[in-house]
Amino acid sequence: MTRTFTGVDEVVGAVGTQLGETAWLEITQQQVNQFAEATGDHQWIHVDVERAATGPYGGTIAHGYLTLSLIARFGEELFSVEGVTAKLNYGVNKVRFPTPVPVGSRIRAGASIAGAQETPAGVQVSLQWVIELENSTKPACVAETVVLLVP
């Protein structure tokens, strides 16, 4: 369920708040192949189904950066902010990929608002993300992202 903030001040006041979790999303070979085409990263562990079947994970795995890029999709599912002219990716402070994401598996994301800082351009909001891999004790990705909310 999407949480709607009625303005930047409400987001700032929500620092430390958990935003919840997204629905599960299956990672398909088509997504991985499209990401490989878009980025030029055609490493066999991602796109060569036959070779990857005999590899260390028993099949192809998603690119780590594909998993990270899904934060944009997950963010739309978790929260929106009214009263801003733009919500821009500002950066990433830290990213880790503790476990690979096999094609055909499902992931979901949880996020919390870690911080907020006013700048001349708007408010930079830090979000702490954990992308879970279904039936795994380790997360697929842990990241702190920064979003610029422009009034």
Side-chain angles (χ1 to χ4, degrees), residues 70-104:
L70 291 170
I71 285 176
R73 175 186 181 146
F74 291 142
E76 292 297 317
E77 191 175 331
L78 286 182
F79 75 100
S80 65
V81 183
E82 296 174 345
V84 296
T85 59
K87 185 170 87 172
L88 306 170
N89 290 322
Y90 190 79
V92 179
N93 290 336
K94 186 174 181 179
V95 178
R96 296 290 184 266
F97 303 107
T99 195
V101 176
V103 168

Short mmCIF file of all heavy atoms in Angstrom, two decimals, residues 70-104:
data_model
loop_
_atom_site.label_atom_id
_atom_site.label_comp_id
_atom_site.label_asym_id
_atom_site.label_seq_id
_atom_site.Cartn_x
_atom_site.Cartn_y
_atom_site.Cartn_z
N LEU A 70 15.70 -1.62 -9.54
CA LEU A 70 14.29 -1.84 -9.22
C LEU A 70 13.82 -1.01 -8.04
O LEU A 70 12.61 -0.90 -7.79
CB LEU A 70 14.03 -3.33 -9.00
CG LEU A 70 14.14 -4.18 -10.27
CD1 LEU A 70 14.11 -5.66 -9.93
CD2 LEU A 70 13.05 -3.82 -11.26
N ILE A 71 14.75 -0.38 -7.33
CA ILE A 71 14.36 0.52 -6.24
C ILE A 71 13.45 1.63 -6.78
O ILE A 71 12.51 2.04 -6.08
CB ILE A 71 15.60 1.09 -5.52
CG1 ILE A 71 16.19 -0.01 -4.63
CG2 ILE A 71 15.27 2.33 -4.71
CD1 ILE A 71 17.48 0.37 -3.93
N ALA A 72 13.67 2.08 -8.00
CA ALA A 72 12.79 3.11 -8.58
C ALA A 72 11.35 2.59 -8.65
O ALA A 72 10.41 3.30 -8.27
CB ALA A 72 13.29 3.51 -9.96
N ARG A 73 11.18 1.37 -9.09
CA ARG A 73 9.85 0.76 -9.16
C ARG A 73 9.27 0.56 -7.76
O ARG A 73 8.11 0.86 -7.50
CB ARG A 73 9.95 -0.57 -9.90
CG ARG A 73 8.67 -1.36 -9.92
CD ARG A 73 8.89 -2.72 -10.53
NE ARG A 73 7.65 -3.45 -10.58
CZ ARG A 73 7.32 -4.30 -11.52
NH1 ARG A 73 8.15 -4.53 -12.52
NH2 ARG A 73 6.18 -4.93 -11.47
N PHE A 74 10.10 0.03 -6.87
CA PHE A 74 9.64 -0.24 -5.51
C PHE A 74 9.27 1.05 -4.79
O PHE A 74 8.32 1.09 -4.01
CB PHE A 74 10.70 -1.00 -4.72
CG PHE A 74 10.92 -2.42 -5.19
CD1 PHE A 74 12.20 -2.96 -5.21
CD2 PHE A 74 9.87 -3.23 -5.58
CE1 PHE A 74 12.42 -4.27 -5.62
CE2 PHE A 74 10.07 -4.54 -5.99
CZ PHE A 74 11.35 -5.06 -6.00
N GLY A 75 10.02 2.12 -5.04
CA GLY A 75 9.72 3.40 -4.41
C GLY A 75 8.34 3.91 -4.77
O GLY A 75 7.61 4.43 -3.92
N GLU A 76 7.99 3.76 -6.04
CA GLU A 76 6.65 4.18 -6.48
C GLU A 76 5.56 3.38 -5.78
O GLU A 76 4.47 3.89 -5.54
CB GLU A 76 6.52 4.04 -8.00
CG GLU A 76 7.40 4.99 -8.79
CD GLU A 76 7.03 6.45 -8.56
OE1 GLU A 76 5.83 6.78 -8.53
OE2 GLU A 76 7.97 7.26 -8.40
N GLU A 77 5.87 2.14 -5.46
CA GLU A 77 4.90 1.29 -4.78
C GLU A 77 4.76 1.65 -3.30
O GLU A 77 3.69 1.50 -2.72
CB GLU A 77 5.33 -0.17 -4.92
CG GLU A 77 4.29 -1.17 -4.50
CD GLU A 77 4.70 -2.61 -4.77
OE1 GLU A 77 5.46 -2.87 -5.73
OE2 GLU A 77 4.24 -3.48 -4.02
N LEU A 78 5.84 2.15 -2.70
CA LEU A 78 5.83 2.40 -1.26
C LEU A 78 5.37 3.79 -0.86
O LEU A 78 4.74 3.94 0.18
CB LEU A 78 7.22 2.15 -0.67
CG LEU A 78 7.64 0.70 -0.53
CD1 LEU A 78 9.02 0.62 0.11
CD2 LEU A 78 6.63 -0.09 0.29
N PHE A 79 5.76 4.82 -1.64
CA PHE A 79 5.41 6.17 -1.18
C PHE A 79 5.32 7.18 -2.31
O PHE A 79 5.91 7.01 -3.37
CB PHE A 79 6.42 6.66 -0.13
CG PHE A 79 7.75 7.08 -0.67
CD1 PHE A 79 8.04 8.43 -0.85
CD2 PHE A 79 8.72 6.15 -1.00
CE1 PHE A 79 9.28 8.82 -1.36
CE2 PHE A 79 9.95 6.53 -1.49
CZ PHE A 79 10.23 7.87 -1.67
N SER A 80 4.55 8.23 -2.05
CA SER A 80 4.47 9.37 -2.95
C SER A 80 4.47 10.63 -2.09
O SER A 80 4.16 10.58 -0.90
CB SER A 80 3.22 9.32 -3.82
OG SER A 80 2.06 9.44 -3.03
N VAL A 81 4.85 11.74 -2.73
CA VAL A 81 4.90 13.01 -2.01
C VAL A 81 4.13 14.04 -2.82
O VAL A 81 4.48 14.31 -3.97
CB VAL A 81 6.35 13.49 -1.78
CG1 VAL A 81 6.36 14.78 -0.96
CG2 VAL A 81 7.18 12.41 -1.10
N GLU A 82 3.09 14.59 -2.22
CA GLU A 82 2.32 15.65 -2.87
C GLU A 82 3.00 16.99 -2.63
O GLU A 82 3.74 17.16 -1.67
CB GLU A 82 0.89 15.69 -2.31
CG GLU A 82 0.10 14.42 -2.60
CD GLU A 82 -1.25 14.41 -1.92
OE1 GLU A 82 -1.50 15.22 -1.00
OE2 GLU A 82 -2.08 13.55 -2.30
N GLY A 83 2.76 17.93 -3.53
CA GLY A 83 3.26 19.28 -3.33
C GLY A 83 4.71 19.48 -3.73
O GLY A 83 5.33 20.45 -3.32
N VAL A 84 5.27 18.55 -4.51
CA VAL A 84 6.62 18.73 -5.03
C VAL A 84 6.55 18.78 -6.55
O VAL A 84 5.67 18.17 -7.16
CB VAL A 84 7.60 17.62 -4.57
CG1 VAL A 84 7.78 17.66 -3.07
CG2 VAL A 84 7.16 16.25 -5.02
N THR A 85 7.48 19.52 -7.15
CA THR A 85 7.50 19.59 -8.62
C THR A 85 8.30 18.45 -9.23
O THR A 85 8.11 18.11 -10.39
CB THR A 85 8.08 20.93 -9.10
OG1 THR A 85 9.41 21.08 -8.59
CG2 THR A 85 7.23 22.10 -8.63
N ALA A 86 9.22 17.88 -8.43
CA ALA A 86 10.02 16.76 -8.92
C ALA A 86 10.53 15.93 -7.76
O ALA A 86 10.75 16.43 -6.66
CB ALA A 86 11.20 17.26 -9.75
N LYS A 87 10.71 14.64 -8.02
CA LYS A 87 11.32 13.69 -7.10
C LYS A 87 12.43 13.03 -7.90
O LYS A 87 12.18 12.20 -8.78
CB LYS A 87 10.27 12.68 -6.64
CG LYS A 87 10.75 11.71 -5.58
CD LYS A 87 9.61 10.90 -4.99
CE LYS A 87 9.34 9.67 -5.80
NZ LYS A 87 8.38 8.75 -5.17
N LEU A 88 13.69 13.45 -7.65
CA LEU A 88 14.82 13.05 -8.49
C LEU A 88 15.79 12.15 -7.73
O LEU A 88 16.08 12.38 -6.56
CB LEU A 88 15.59 14.30 -8.95
CG LEU A 88 14.78 15.38 -9.66
CD1 LEU A 88 15.61 16.63 -9.84
CD2 LEU A 88 14.29 14.85 -11.00
N ASN A 89 16.31 11.13 -8.44
CA ASN A 89 17.40 10.35 -7.86
C ASN A 89 18.60 11.27 -7.70
O ASN A 89 19.03 11.90 -8.66
CB ASN A 89 17.78 9.18 -8.77
CG ASN A 89 16.70 8.12 -8.80
OD1 ASN A 89 16.09 7.83 -7.79
ND2 ASN A 89 16.49 7.54 -9.96
N TYR A 90 19.12 11.36 -6.49
CA TYR A 90 20.27 12.23 -6.23
C TYR A 90 21.55 11.42 -6.09
O TYR A 90 22.63 11.89 -6.40
CB TYR A 90 20.01 13.05 -4.96
CG TYR A 90 21.02 14.14 -4.74
CD1 TYR A 90 20.95 15.33 -5.44
CD2 TYR A 90 22.08 13.96 -3.86
CE1 TYR A 90 21.89 16.33 -5.26
CE2 TYR A 90 23.02 14.95 -3.66
CZ TYR A 90 22.93 16.14 -4.37
OH TYR A 90 23.86 17.13 -4.20
N GLY A 91 21.42 10.19 -5.59
CA GLY A 91 22.61 9.37 -5.47
C GLY A 91 22.39 8.17 -4.58
O GLY A 91 21.30 7.89 -4.11
N VAL A 92 23.50 7.45 -4.40
CA VAL A 92 23.51 6.26 -3.56
C VAL A 92 24.71 6.38 -2.63
O VAL A 92 25.83 6.60 -3.10
CB VAL A 92 23.62 4.97 -4.41
CG1 VAL A 92 23.66 3.74 -3.53
CG2 VAL A 92 22.46 4.88 -5.40
N ASN A 93 24.47 6.26 -1.35
CA ASN A 93 25.57 6.37 -0.39
C ASN A 93 26.31 5.05 -0.20
O ASN A 93 27.51 5.03 -0.02
CB ASN A 93 25.07 6.87 0.96
CG ASN A 93 24.66 8.32 0.88
OD1 ASN A 93 25.11 9.07 0.03
ND2 ASN A 93 23.77 8.72 1.77
N LYS A 94 25.60 3.95 -0.22
CA LYS A 94 26.22 2.65 -0.01
C LYS A 94 25.32 1.57 -0.58
O LYS A 94 24.10 1.63 -0.43
CB LYS A 94 26.42 2.41 1.49
CG LYS A 94 27.19 1.16 1.81
CD LYS A 94 27.47 1.05 3.30
CE LYS A 94 28.27 -0.20 3.59
NZ LYS A 94 28.60 -0.32 5.01
N VAL A 95 25.95 0.58 -1.22
CA VAL A 95 25.21 -0.54 -1.80
C VAL A 95 25.99 -1.82 -1.55
O VAL A 95 27.21 -1.86 -1.71
CB VAL A 95 25.02 -0.39 -3.32
CG1 VAL A 95 24.28 -1.59 -3.90
CG2 VAL A 95 24.29 0.88 -3.67
N ARG A 96 25.27 -2.87 -1.19
CA ARG A 96 25.86 -4.20 -1.06
C ARG A 96 24.88 -5.20 -1.66
O ARG A 96 23.67 -5.02 -1.60
CB ARG A 96 26.11 -4.56 0.41
CG ARG A 96 27.13 -3.68 1.10
CD ARG A 96 28.53 -3.93 0.57
NE ARG A 96 29.54 -3.17 1.27
CZ ARG A 96 30.00 -1.98 0.88
NH1 ARG A 96 29.53 -1.42 -0.21
NH2 ARG A 96 30.94 -1.36 1.56
N PHE A 97 25.45 -6.28 -2.23
CA PHE A 97 24.67 -7.37 -2.81
C PHE A 97 25.05 -8.67 -2.09
O PHE A 97 25.85 -9.46 -2.60
CB PHE A 97 24.94 -7.49 -4.31
CG PHE A 97 24.67 -6.23 -5.09
CD1 PHE A 97 25.72 -5.46 -5.58
CD2 PHE A 97 23.38 -5.79 -5.32
CE1 PHE A 97 25.48 -4.30 -6.29
CE2 PHE A 97 23.13 -4.62 -6.03
CZ PHE A 97 24.19 -3.87 -6.51
N PRO A 98 24.50 -8.92 -0.89
CA PRO A 98 24.91 -10.07 -0.09
C PRO A 98 24.64 -11.44 -0.71
O PRO A 98 25.34 -12.40 -0.40
CB PRO A 98 24.13 -9.91 1.21
CG PRO A 98 23.80 -8.46 1.28
CD PRO A 98 23.61 -8.03 -0.15
N THR A 99 23.61 -11.55 -1.55
CA THR A 99 23.32 -12.85 -2.16
C THR A 99 22.78 -12.64 -3.58
O THR A 99 22.06 -11.66 -3.83
CB THR A 99 22.34 -13.66 -1.28
OG1 THR A 99 22.35 -15.02 -1.69
CG2 THR A 99 20.93 -13.13 -1.34
N PRO A 100 23.12 -13.53 -4.51
CA PRO A 100 22.63 -13.37 -5.88
C PRO A 100 21.14 -13.68 -6.00
O PRO A 100 20.57 -14.40 -5.18
CB PRO A 100 23.46 -14.39 -6.68
CG PRO A 100 23.95 -15.37 -5.68
CD PRO A 100 24.02 -14.67 -4.36
N VAL A 101 20.54 -13.14 -7.06
CA VAL A 101 19.12 -13.32 -7.33
C VAL A 101 18.97 -14.24 -8.53
O VAL A 101 19.17 -13.82 -9.67
CB VAL A 101 18.42 -11.97 -7.60
CG1 VAL A 101 16.96 -12.18 -7.97
CG2 VAL A 101 18.55 -11.05 -6.39
N PRO A 102 18.63 -15.51 -8.31
CA PRO A 102 18.44 -16.42 -9.44
C PRO A 102 17.23 -16.02 -10.28
O PRO A 102 16.21 -15.58 -9.75
CB PRO A 102 18.18 -17.78 -8.77
CG PRO A 102 18.68 -17.63 -7.36
CD PRO A 102 18.49 -16.18 -7.02
N VAL A 103 17.36 -16.18 -11.59
CA VAL A 103 16.23 -15.94 -12.47
C VAL A 103 15.11 -16.91 -12.07
O VAL A 103 15.37 -18.08 -11.78
CB VAL A 103 16.63 -16.12 -13.95
CG1 VAL A 103 15.41 -16.18 -14.85
CG2 VAL A 103 17.56 -14.99 -14.37
N GLY A 104 13.90 -16.40 -12.01
CA GLY A 104 12.75 -17.20 -11.59
C GLY A 104 12.41 -17.03 -10.12
O GLY A 104 11.36 -17.46 -9.67
#
